[in-house]
Amino acid sequence: QVQLVESGGGLVQAGGSLKLSCVVSGRTFTSYNMGWFRQAPGKEREFVTVIKWDGDSTYYADSVKGRFTISRDSAENEVYLQMNKLLPEDTAVYYCAADDLLEASMWPEIAPAHWGQGTQVTVSS
């Protein structure tokens, strides 16, 4: 079983930046597509971004394109989410996710198999 642990959330002013990290353990990191979802209060969980297992492809939700960047470090078994130009509407619990079978292109449509516990991101106006 794969375990995912997020960190890096916090409170930031609009226009600021945060970098989230997700450490992966339990299975071979390099075989997993990795990504991030978020859930704002009173809203459904939504896809944010995913990076393919080999790092060659990334997908982003339209709402974060040009502001967020996903990356991965296979040596450290970590995936990162650099968030710039944050907006109050980015406020949510951010979840790291992993799946070694689900195609990265399908992540906006189908929930991946493995999840972290989430980290809170709050953007003040």
Side-chain angles (χ1 to χ4, degrees):
Q1 184 76 342
V2 61
Q3 292 86 40
L4 311 174
V5 179
E6 304 97 332
S7 62
L11 173 65
V12 63
Q13 287 188 332
S17 299
L18 277 176
K19 186 174 183 177
L20 305 183
S21 299
C22 174
V23 177
V24 183
S25 60
R27 290 292 176 90
T28 304
F29 176 75
T30 52
S31 65
Y32 282 81
N33 295 325
M34 300 294 304
W36 296 88
F37 287 71
R38 67 186 182 185
Q39 187 167 20
K43 295 187 177 181
E44 293 188 354
R45 184 178 60 197
E46 64 174 357
F47 166 79
V48 176
T49 181
V50 59
I51 185 168
K52 195 178 171 184
W53 64 271
D54 59 5
D56 277 357
S57 299
T58 57
Y59 300 88
Y60 293 92
D62 288 343
S63 58
V64 306
K65 279 181 182 176
R67 300 188 299 121
F68 290 12
T69 303
I70 189 171
S71 60
R72 62 191 296 159
D73 185 337
S74 296
E76 298 294 332
N77 283 5
E78 285 195 78
V79 62
Y80 309 101
L81 182 63
Q82 177 67 47
M83 305 185 292
N84 299 328
K85 301 178 182 178
L86 282 160
L87 304 169
E89 48 263 47
D90 294 319
T91 295
V93 177
Y94 283 70
Y95 296 91
C96 179
D99 201 303
D100 60 344
L101 297 177
L102 181 64
E103 290 290 333
S105 60
M106 296 302 297
W107 278 47
E109 310 297 333
I110 301 174
H114 307 288
W115 296 85
Q117 82 288 350
T119 185
Q120 177 70 46
V121 172
T122 302
V123 184
S124 63
S125 57

